[in-house]
Amino acid sequence: MSRFTLIETGIGGLRIVERQRLGDERGFLSRLFCAEELASAGWDKPVAQINHTWTQARGTVRGLHFQRPPHAEMKLVTCLRGAVWDVGLDLRAGSPTFLHWRAVELSADNGRALLIPQGFAHGFQALTDDCELLYLHSAPYAAQAEGGLSATDPALGINWPLPIALRSGRDERHPGVTPEFTGLDLNS
């Protein structure tokens, strides 16, 4: 019996993961990850790294972050406390949905996750104060492969649901998309 329902977003490989919660008067149990069950969604590597973030203030935006090949990674992002508006942006060279994005609300209440394939940028906006996210990564972080795009680039047209209250200096310095940017070649 599968504990996950995978919902297509219209962008190849970017999926919402709805988890089945088994509950009673004590609370609930929810499976956060299962390699066997997520293999059909493209997760074909071990979990290489798990990160935990806390975002203090509503309106804060983090991202848009990605890892260049050969260090490209899949992510499974889950909200453990609060609520976020989570964005996946297709950066795959030659993809029919290149530079298209989708967003989904992830919250402690809805228990959803976003499965982000290799070749995507990721970012989110905190919809509440005190948001905590858990990230499972298919590859370890590689500083030399780190990349980022401006979350406010008009060429991307991301409609953040709240006024942006705070971004890191690093995120504010991320460039917008230029005509020279043809995407990430995952075969390199």
Side-chain angles (χ1 to χ4, degrees), residues 94-145:
S95 170
T97 54
F98 177 63
L99 296 182
H100 292 208
W101 59 271
R102 291 290 184 276
V104 62
E105 184 174 323
L106 305 180
S107 71
D109 291 337
N110 71 24
R112 286 179 155 187
L114 191 60
L115 182 64
I116 303 168
Q118 293 181 35
F120 275 64
H122 171 255
F124 70 86
Q125 183 172 48
L127 299 176
T128 63
D129 290 337
D130 295 320
C131 293
E132 290 188 63
L133 297 183
L134 187 72
Y135 297 72
L136 281 66
H137 301 259
S138 66
Y141 171 75
Q144 72 278 13

Side-chain angles (χ1 to χ4, degrees), residues 40-113:
S40 67
W43 194 288
D44 59 357
K45 298 178 180 174
V47 173
Q49 188 169 302
I50 301 172
N51 292 320
H52 176 222
T53 64
W54 172 64
T55 302
Q56 182 176 357
R58 177 179 186 266
T60 298
V61 170
R62 291 183 183 246
L64 300 162
H65 304 141
F66 60 92
Q67 291 276 287
R68 291 180 183 85
H71 303 282
E73 63 185 353
M74 288 187 78
K75 293 180 186 176
L76 183 65
V77 182
T78 302
C79 185
L80 300 175
R81 181 167 46 154
V84 300
W85 198 71
D86 208 56
V87 175
L89 170 69
D90 189 352
L91 298 180
R92 298 171 295 183
S95 170
T97 54
F98 177 63
L99 296 182
H100 292 208
W101 59 271
R102 291 290 184 276
V104 62
E105 184 174 323
L106 305 180
S107 71
D109 291 337
N110 71 24
R112 286 179 155 187

Side-chain angles (χ1 to χ4, degrees), residues 140-156:
Y141 171 75
Q144 72 278 13
E146 178 182 64
L149 290 172
S150 173
T152 58
D153 183 355
L156 299 176

Side-chain angles (χ1 to χ4, degrees), residues 63 149-152 164-175:
L149 290 172
S150 173
T152 58
I164 295 176
L166 182 64
R167 288 190 299 159
S168 72
R170 181 184 71 140
D171 284 353
E172 287 180 349
R173 289 186 297 276
H174 287 318

